[in-house]
Amino acid sequence: MEPVERLYLDALMEDPAVPERSLRPQLLAGARARRRPAAPTAPWAEPYAGRVAAMDALLASAGEDDWSRVIVEGWTLQELVAHLAAKDGLLAASVGAPVLGPAIGATDSLGRTADVQNYERARSPEQTRRDWRAQADALCRHLADLAPGTVASVDGLDAPVSDQVLARCLETWVHADDAARTASLRLPHPIPEHIHPTADLCARLLPWTMLLSGLDGSGRTLLLTLTGPGGGEWHVPLGVADAAGGGAPDAHITADVVEFCFLLGGRGDPGSFPADLEGDLALAHDVLNTAPALSGP
């Protein structure tokens, strides 16, 4: 499967300087030997399954020092992987898939994360990695027989399961990048066929990120042009109840598709985000400034 093979670390791009005690030497040898393909799932869930496989390849040969290194949010790599397992488990519970790890007590992301992290701290990092991958694979297999429009609820937000899974794809992608950057590695991006639906979700979230930030874009429209493999063009009505329509947009934003996805994922400074803006510049800046509103730890 050539598209899935593209997600593995064979294509790792190395930075010029290799820091002392980097996990790169083990990664390139060990991850290739121990990599596991993406779990079988529904076509619309393949972007998520691909990022799980890529993250797992990154983790395959992490050493003891790597697992205890702080990555983001004050979390070590082991705690970060437990966080991913926690959120995957909440989605699994919502759609009737198996939930692994401790029994669900807290049903919000932060509470469930704390429960799973406490559970995994008593286990080895390799056990945590296996727990997370088993949870992700169980979810993928369950999705194979699920209609994409099935409503799923995570953190009180009801949405089609296909959108919830794309949100899991984006978060897994962002956190895999967090872990790779901490180790001075750069993971290859997903294939364009996986980037495009993720970017589509990000575009459709813009009315909600504005509303969550206290701005109502009703009656205004944005032309969003995302460049690079997997990009495209979206005519976005900025009110959550607005119907899609034609006509001249009020503002136009042109940006790199990967950078835009990462902005929605909470990475990057909206104030200095590299984009070409046209039309109502105040509106365009409002869109960019509020874009990360739905991102969380």
Side-chain angles (χ1 to χ4, degrees):
M1 297 175 61
E2 184 61 29
V4 173
E5 287 299 315
R6 170 68 176 81
L7 298 171
Y8 293 126
L9 296 187
D10 286 335
L12 264 177
M13 296 170 284
E14 299 188 26
D15 291 338
V18 180
E20 186 179 359
R21 302 176 75 180
S22 167
L23 57 74
R24 181 182 300 133
Q26 308 114 284
L27 270 169
L28 293 178
R32 287 178 181 140
R34 300 169 59 193
R35 65 190 182 190
R36 296 169 56 192
T41 192
W44 47 267
E46 287 177 357
Y48 165 69
R51 280 299 91 189
V52 167
M55 178 70 163
D56 196 40
L58 177 67
L59 299 173
S61 297
E64 183 176 349
D65 289 344
D66 303 312
W67 283 104
S68 59
R69 183 182 292 120
V70 172
I71 306 297
V72 68
E73 300 290 334
W75 295 335
T76 65
L77 181 58
Q78 183 176 13
E79 290 167 337
L80 177 62
V81 173
H83 166 67
L84 291 174
K87 296 194 70 173
D88 290 344
L90 288 177
L91 179 55
S94 178
V95 297
V99 178
L100 309 180
I104 290 184
T107 57
D108 64 291
S109 290
L110 289 178
R112 178 62 178 169
T113 289
D115 289 346
V116 176
Q117 286 176 337
N118 287 336
Y119 173 79
E120 293 295 345
R121 286 188 188 103
R123 298 161 66 80
S124 72
E126 182 59 27
Q127 287 175 316
T128 299
R129 174 197 169 210
R130 290 199 302 265
D131 288 352
W132 159 75
R133 182 64 195 260
Q135 177 64 84
D137 286 354
L139 176 59
C140 284
R141 293 188 178 96
H142 185 82
L143 296 173
D145 298 319
L146 209 61
T150 302
V151 175
S153 181
V154 178
D155 280 337
L157 176 64
D158 293 339
V161 67
S162 56
D163 284 351
Q164 297 280 18
V165 169
L166 286 172
R168 299 303 313 126
C169 168
L170 178 60
E171 181 168 7
T172 305
W173 182 11
V174 167
H175 283 322
D177 186 75
D178 290 336
R181 288 179 182 273
T182 301
S184 296
L185 297 170
R186 286 194 298 140
L187 283 175
H189 296 314
I191 58 174
E193 293 84 354
H194 291 178
I195 291 177
H196 185 78
T198 309
D200 179 74
L201 173 68
C202 291
R204 290 185 287 111
L205 285 176
L206 293 176
W208 295 98
T209 59
M210 289 188 69
L211 189 63
L212 186 62
S213 303
L215 299 178
D216 186 353
S218 296
R220 317 295 297 282
T221 60
L222 170 74
L223 180 61
L224 177 66
T225 302
L226 299 180
T227 61
E233 194 165 86
W234 288 262
H235 196 106
V236 184
L238 293 176
V240 296
D242 290 352
D250 296 287
H252 184 191
I253 296 176
T254 302
D256 176 79
V257 63
V258 171
E259 291 181 348
F260 188 78
C261 288
F262 270 58
L263 180 67
L264 269 287
R267 300 298 180 268
D269 177 13
S272 59
F273 183 73
D276 293 328
L277 310 181
E278 299 176 34
D280 186 335
L281 299 185
L283 177 62
H285 283 296
D286 283 344
V287 170
L288 293 177
N289 288 333
T290 60
L294 283 168
S295 65

